[in-house]
Amino acid sequence: MNEDELLSALHGLVWPDTGKLECRAAGHAPGHLCLTIGGEASLDALVEQLGDWYGEPRTLVSEGRADSSLRERTGLPLLVPFGEGERVVEMRAWAFGGRWIGCGAVRVGGEARLVVVVAPRTAPAPEELPSDASWLDRLVAVTGWDADRVRADPIRLERMHTGRIRPVDCAAAEARLGTALPSDYKRLVDTFGHGAFDGFLAIHLPADIVKSAEFASGWAKTHGLRSRETHPPFPEPGGLLPWAGTEHETSFYWITEGPDPDAWPVYVTEVGPEAGDRFDMTATEFVFRMLTDPDHPYSIPADFAAHWFMNYNPPR
């Protein structure tokens, strides 16, 4: 199949975890699907195209060397299907709902061919997590995120060196805002970076928080929004400071009441700052509950079998 046919077939397999994974390749184990790419497509071009759809990839195999720490929940199912006489020489991977997506090159004899692999992906259920785990550890567990592997990824290191990845600079943002940010938020963005949970809930980087806060404050001054309003923008006392948003234009704020940022409650609006809901919890706890509690008032649509984090740094 050509590149256009590949992308159409792939989207049908992974959205939302409905396509059948039945591989017909000789000697392959069951429970996955291989899509062989014909034509003149290159691995780099395919990885870039898939990166536009699914975010920044992880490197599972590079120059014939596989990551020795790979496990079932970190991408190993993409390497298992290949049979005798087949050698995976390159493999990039994305987590997307209940599926792994892999794009790589497999050598058979003296010939290398491009292949896209789709395999099942599992993640622990919330009730399987230790009761004493932090909210961040729970979020890492249910998304299968491995910050150490992501940071050490050779492609990511090269892109960081060339300045193509947005930095997480909390200190600069705090200096600009004139206040510390909640410590759980700082750990959250340091662990996950720039991206969105389930490809839906986008966490603002510190620089984005500054930009949004300064815009809202300037708009309020220009249009005469007074400090006695119930929820004025930051830096008014008890003002709203945005930290996340969704593609449905739901906005997530802290109410900056009191001197301790770690005690700031979460405030969520779908219409405007005067029509929201308050939650007395940290941002990280809120995100975890939003992902895993189907009865949560802002529950993420439960179309997928597992949760994931889509990193917004596709290769270019």
Side-chain angles (χ1 to χ4, degrees):
M1 73 175 51
N2 61 33
E3 188 174 340
D4 290 338
E5 292 171 335
L6 162 73
L7 296 175
S8 176
L10 184 59
H11 197 61
L13 289 168
V14 300
W15 188 278
D17 301 341
T18 52
K20 291 184 178 180
L21 303 182
E22 298 177 349
C23 189
R24 295 182 174 87
H28 281 205
H32 75 284
L33 182 63
C34 290
L35 303 171
T36 303
I37 315 305
E40 298 181 356
S42 70
L43 178 59
D44 288 345
L46 283 172
V47 169
E48 181 173 327
Q49 180 63 67
L50 294 177
D52 285 340
W53 282 27
Y54 304 113
E56 184 178 41
R58 311 178 196 184
T59 300
L60 305 188
V61 182
S62 178
E63 298 180 346
R65 295 189 297 273
D67 185 337
S68 61
S69 64
L70 282 176
R71 299 292 183 269
E72 181 180 355
R73 288 179 173 170
T74 57
L76 185 59
L78 292 171
L79 305 183
V80 170
F82 297 96
E84 185 177 353
E86 297 178 307
R87 179 171 178 254
V88 180
V89 292
E90 300 287 342
M91 186 63 70
R92 313 288 180 259
W94 295 262
F96 193 88
R99 301 284 162 90
W100 283 108
I101 304 166
C103 180
V106 178
R107 185 170 296 281
V108 182
E111 179 185 0
R113 67 174 188 264
L114 298 181
V115 63
V116 169
V117 189
V118 183
R121 174 177 171 264
T122 60
E127 59 270 18
E128 297 174 353
L129 304 178
S131 59
D132 59 349
S134 70
W135 295 113
L136 179 60
D137 288 343
R138 298 182 196 197
L139 203 50
V140 166
V142 299
T143 57
W145 189 250
D146 190 329
D148 291 337
R149 177 175 287 110
V150 170
R151 292 189 183 109
D153 190 284
I155 295 178
R156 181 178 178 83
L157 290 173
E158 187 274 334
R159 293 172 58 235
M160 287 185 66
H161 179 71
T162 55
R164 286 178 286 170
I165 291 181
R166 295 186 64 195
V168 176
D169 192 343
C170 291
E174 290 173 327
R176 187 76 174 261
L177 292 168
T179 180
L181 293 169
S183 57
D184 80 289
Y185 161 81
K186 291 189 283 187
R187 291 190 295 270
L188 178 69
V189 292
D190 181 63
T191 299
F192 286 95
H194 185 213
F197 290 95
D198 286 11
F200 180 78
L201 174 63
I203 306 300
H204 298 334
L205 289 182
D208 297 324
I209 292 177
V210 172
K211 183 178 179 180
S212 296
E214 291 180 345
F215 174 83
S217 178
W219 190 94
K221 290 178 181 177
T222 301
H223 293 80
L225 183 63
R226 294 168 293 182
S227 60
R228 72 168 183 264
E229 296 288 340
T230 304
H231 293 295
F234 180 85
E236 293 284 349
L240 297 181
L241 190 60
W243 58 269
T246 74
E247 60 183 29
H248 293 169
E249 298 186 0
T250 303
S251 298
F252 302 81
Y253 303 87
W254 293 292
I255 303 176
T256 58
E257 58 186 27
D260 181 8
D262 290 341
W264 290 348
V266 169
Y267 189 74
V268 187
T269 71
E270 292 184 301
V271 180
E274 301 307 316
D277 296 306
R278 174 185 174 126
F279 298 85
D280 289 301
M281 61 182 66
T282 65
T284 306
E285 178 183 355
F286 182 89
V287 172
F288 177 81
R289 294 189 182 279
M290 186 176 175
L291 261 62
T292 60
D293 182 359
D295 296 323
H296 191 281
Y298 293 95
S299 176
I300 288 180
D303 292 331
F304 294 94
H307 300 288
W308 76 101
F309 182 76
M310 179 184 291
N311 197 298
Y312 283 167
N313 292 303
R316 297 206 181 281

